[in-house]
Amino acid sequence: MSLGPDQPIASPPPRVAGVVVVGMSMAVWWPAFTLGAWGVFFFDQILTVWAAATAALIVVVFRHHEDRNRLGRAAALLLPTLWLVLAIAVDPGDDSLNVVIDVLGGSVAVLGIPATIWVLARIIWPEFGHDLPLRRRLVVAASVAAIAVVSYLLGVNHDAFLTCEAFTLSGNSEPPGCRPA
């Protein structure tokens, strides 16, 4: 059976799910590792999420296709901007609001990356959401969550397999408790 010029070729959902799992996992491992090793998210990770989410927001807003979840996606993609505006606007001496901003920033770092990739995947491959069974979507989410948890644990236990010199050579600061060479 051949497809005519007006018939798009759809990617098989398992292949699309694999691409999304790999993309999300590649994006989430470093923030999870840094949280484990240093106990914080680095500013560049959160700002990277902001840039990607803002770009995805532009795609969602200016896309001309019918999308019943458009407003929900736009609202989710605005969360990193909300964090950024609050981080700039709130007085550094306001401890109670700074705790909220820190929690929002951490959530943006961990959840914003996979959420942004998920939204982009749904835009690029609409069948990803419709033709992918719930069980496979749960496998995608569980796989990315497992990578994030293991990356965090690797960060917590970095001294078992990395030296202080490894961090220094890579251009990172030495995390607390690193093992000398």
Side-chain angles (χ1 to χ4, degrees):
M1 178 178 143
S2 67
L3 296 174
D6 295 337
Q7 295 175 316
I9 299 173
S11 299
R15 187 175 308 154
V16 173
V19 169
V20 171
V21 166
V22 170
M24 286 181 177
S25 296
M26 286 178 63
V28 80
W29 85 267
W30 181 243
F33 181 86
T34 62
L35 182 61
W38 284 273
V40 296
F41 295 109
F42 296 156
F43 72 90
D44 59 333
Q45 296 164 341
I46 299 172
L47 290 175
T48 297
V49 173
W50 169 80
T54 301
L57 176 66
I58 292 167
V59 170
V60 167
V61 168
F62 291 104
R63 191 165 181 248
H64 295 293
H65 293 12
E66 194 70 28
D67 185 358
R68 60 187 163 111
N69 297 323
R70 187 178 194 175
L71 290 177
R73 288 182 182 149
L77 292 168
L78 276 171
L79 286 177
T81 298
L82 173 63
W83 164 80
L84 186 59
V85 168
L86 288 173
I88 291 169
V90 170
D91 178 17
D94 190 342
D95 291 337
S96 59
L97 275 179
N98 282 319
V99 169
V100 171
I101 292 168
D102 288 345
V103 169
L104 183 59
S107 300
V108 163
V110 171
L111 300 175
I113 294 168
T116 300
I117 293 171
W118 185 273
V119 168
L120 288 173
R122 294 288 306 265
I123 291 168
I124 295 166
W125 297 296
E127 70 274 1
F128 181 67
H130 300 296
D131 293 346
L132 198 64
L134 177 61
R135 184 171 81 63
R136 190 160 293 143
R137 283 187 251 173
L138 291 174
V139 167
V140 168
S143 299
V144 174
I147 295 291
V149 168
V150 170
S151 297
Y152 172 80
L153 293 173
L154 288 171
V156 168
N157 298 294
H158 60 82
D159 60 333
F161 63 99
L162 294 171
T163 64
C164 297
E165 184 180 338
F167 287 98
T168 303
L169 285 173
S170 69
N172 292 292
S173 63
E174 295 176 359
C178 69
R179 180 173 44 101

